[in-house]
Amino acid sequence: MNATSQAVKPRALEPDSLWEQLTGGLVRTRYRVQHDHLARSFSLLVDAWHHLMAPKLAGPPADQIELIERRFDALLEADLANVAQGYYPRELLLQLPLSQYLRCIPQVLLEAPRVLMRSQKNRYDELPEALDLSAYPRYYRRNFHWQTDGWLSDHSARMYDMAVEVLFAGTADIMRRMAIPPVIEATRTIERPRILDVACGTGRFLLQLQKALPNAKYFGLDLSPFYLRFASQQLRHVADLSLVSDNAEAMPFADASFDVVTTIFLFHELPRDARRNVAREMFRVLKPGGRLSFCDSAQRHESAEIGAYLERFATIYHEPYYKSYLKDTVEDLLREVGFEIESATAHLVSKVVVARRPE
Ligand SMILES: C[S@@+](CC[C@H](N)C(=O)[O-])C[C@H]1O[C@@H](n2cnc3c(N)ncnc32)[C@H](O)[C@@H]1O
């Protein structure tokens, strides 16, 4: 894998007791078996779905599939290594709510013909009619990935986590977790860090981050009130959390008010200018010396060898800004607005960029 980095330094750990080594070994085995199975069964579903959506589209080149398999393996090992290094608790390895996801299956089957029809007729503007859409930017008013209601219903919010997990063959949460170690490193000396997750969606990242770092004051911002409503249920046990519905291009937060800003899977859904507006806002609300932990799709810059694999995503799904994102190197755009880049690391089909607002 072509990843750059000055990797985050793990803290020194005490050697594990025999009991811990034993339970750790069992968890490791269960985790590997679970993810190998999930990857195989979800990939079969996704391949069949892609065949229905784009029957004439050739499959990804064999050499790229091999590379993806190697990256998959490396991602699981990185996840296990993060636990071994104490960045997050072992329980996160086996936390996927699979029964909750399975309960969505009847709804998926019912909806599939409509989604297929929508994609074939290119009806990316089928949104709930009763809503006042003028409150949302133009680029946002669409059915990204052809999902029913776009970002704008409770139903969409309920289906989202399952759909993303299936699409990424069970690795969506793992890729999100790769953004946790930089947050832990950045907050080691801060007693009660203030952390903002931009475009927090249904809260999957915050849910995991707060298990790794319970003693923080958390904020989640998202433009969808429906996704935030779902997030507030998922995160109801988090003591110190504020969820705010607003546009990340003009955030309702004071300058220099956060120690860490995170953002996961947002930028590939923004047009070029909006990406810069959001990056500028993240810079503004960070304290000098504060860190950004950014995770989104891999890009051509560091992942050219799987370029054809990534481009297929924009061909099959409604992702109008994805191809321009692939070329718009995140490290450069963050530098443009004033950040210093500390590291950039590819993980399967994603990348994590750690950036610092200079003092
Ligand atoms: C692909 S989802 C990612 C959600 C979440 N971070 C995750 O890990 O699953 C993109 C999210 O970005 C939000 N979003 C898109 N444009 C936005 C904007 N301009 N301001 C705030 N949120 C936005 C959407 O509402 C949606 O929840």
Side-chain angles (χ1 to χ4, degrees):
M1 186 180 310
N2 184 6
T4 58
S5 222
Q6 299 131 17
V8 169
K9 287 189 193 65
R11 71 182 124 144
L13 290 179
E14 299 296 318
D16 279 350
S17 69
L18 189 60
W19 174 246
E20 283 198 341
Q21 283 179 30
L22 192 66
T23 49
L26 288 175
V27 170
R28 180 192 165 87
T29 308
R30 195 174 146 202
Y31 168 84
R32 291 285 327 200
V33 169
Q34 184 188 72
H35 277 286
D36 285 341
H37 273 89
L38 281 181
R40 245 176 274 135
S41 33
F42 286 171
S43 299
L44 278 178
L45 283 178
V46 171
D47 288 349
W49 181 240
H50 287 177
H51 191 68
L52 285 173
M53 301 269 277
K56 293 192 188 128
L57 187 70
D63 61 327
Q64 301 215 352
I65 296 183
E66 216 180 293
L67 279 171
I68 291 289
E69 282 168 1
R70 264 192 259 147
R71 282 183 173 222
F72 170 79
D73 207 54
L75 177 72
L76 299 198
E77 288 305 317
D79 201 21
L80 289 164
N82 284 343
V83 170
Q85 289 165 10
Y87 283 126
Y88 40 84
R90 203 176 274 161
E91 65 172 286
L92 287 188
L93 295 175
L94 299 170
Q95 52 74 51
L96 267 190
L98 288 175
S99 56
Q100 181 188 317
Y101 294 170
L102 282 175
R103 282 198 295 276
C104 296
I105 285 179
Q107 191 60 43
V108 172
L109 295 175
L110 273 177
E111 245 176 67
R114 261 175 71 205
V115 177
L116 213 50
M117 192 84 83
R118 184 178 303 133
S119 82
Q120 272 154 21
K121 296 194 167 162
N122 201 24
R123 294 300 312 270
Y124 58 79
D125 55 355
E126 276 184 9
L127 293 170
E129 278 168 16
L131 282 181
D132 173 14
L133 294 176
S134 64
Y136 301 99
R138 220 179 151 71
Y139 62 79
Y140 189 82
R141 297 183 231 151
R142 51 183 73 239
N143 308 96
F144 285 95
H145 333 132
W146 303 119
Q147 70 196 11
T148 300
D149 300 336
W151 302 120
L152 294 168
S153 74
D154 292 322
H155 167 76
S156 164
R158 270 196 309 276
M159 304 294 280
Y160 172 83
D161 290 336
M162 175 277 308
V164 175
E165 228 19 286
V166 173
L167 177 68
F168 286 127
T171 63
D173 267 354
I174 309 181
M175 290 191 283
R176 291 185 182 104
R177 287 203 283 278
M178 296 298 122
I180 294 181
V183 181
I184 304 298
E185 289 297 337
T187 53
R188 282 218 189 285
T189 55
I190 307 173
E191 203 176 314
R192 201 163 157 61
R194 288 169 59 88
I195 299 180
L196 166 67
D197 188 29
V198 175
C200 63
T202 57
R204 283 305 299 172
F205 180 64
L206 285 176
L207 193 63
Q208 301 189 79
L209 179 60
Q210 61 83 31
K211 293 245 165 70
L213 191 63
N215 199 27
K217 162 80 189 147
Y218 286 106
F219 293 79
L221 176 119
D222 200 283
L223 199 41
S224 169
F226 306 95
Y227 276 57
L228 285 186
R229 186 147 57 213
F230 189 84
S232 73
Q233 287 164 14
Q234 301 297 303
L235 297 164
R236 57 190 177 278
H237 58 282
V238 180
D240 209 346
L241 168 74
S242 302
L243 296 175
V244 181
S245 179
D246 216 323
N247 191 341
E249 291 182 81
M251 299 190 213
F253 301 118
D255 294 357
S257 47
F258 294 100
D259 298 290
V260 171
V261 170
T262 59
T263 188
I264 316 285
F265 301 151
L266 168 66
F267 271 44
H268 73 279
E269 298 207 337
L270 299 177
R272 191 176 187 283
D273 288 352
R275 273 177 228 136
R276 278 152 182 80
N277 293 341
V278 175
R280 241 176 255 119
E281 279 293 88
M282 295 193 302
F283 185 88
R284 179 184 68 77
V285 302
L286 262 177
K287 294 178 186 170
R291 295 298 194 298
L292 168 68
S293 184
F294 170 106
C295 168
D296 205 330
S297 165
Q299 295 185 296
R300 278 211 198 128
H301 169 69
E302 83 293 327
S303 297
E305 70 276 21
I306 55 162
Y309 192 92
L310 298 175
E311 296 233 354
R312 273 172 59 81
F313 183 54
T315 311
I316 298 171
Y317 293 97
H318 181 62
E319 280 289 0
Y321 312 112
Y322 185 66
K323 282 193 179 164
S324 103
Y325 166 84
L326 284 178
K327 294 182 279 186
D328 191 8
T329 305
V330 167
E331 296 89 307
D332 291 342
L333 97 77
L334 293 177
R335 275 191 205 102
E336 253 173 67
V337 303
F339 280 106
E340 284 169 359
I341 302 301
E342 295 196 325
S343 65
T345 313
H347 296 288
L348 188 55
V349 291
S350 68
K351 70 195 273 185
V352 170
V353 179
V354 184
R356 178 171 175 276
R357 175 174 170 164
E359 294 285 352

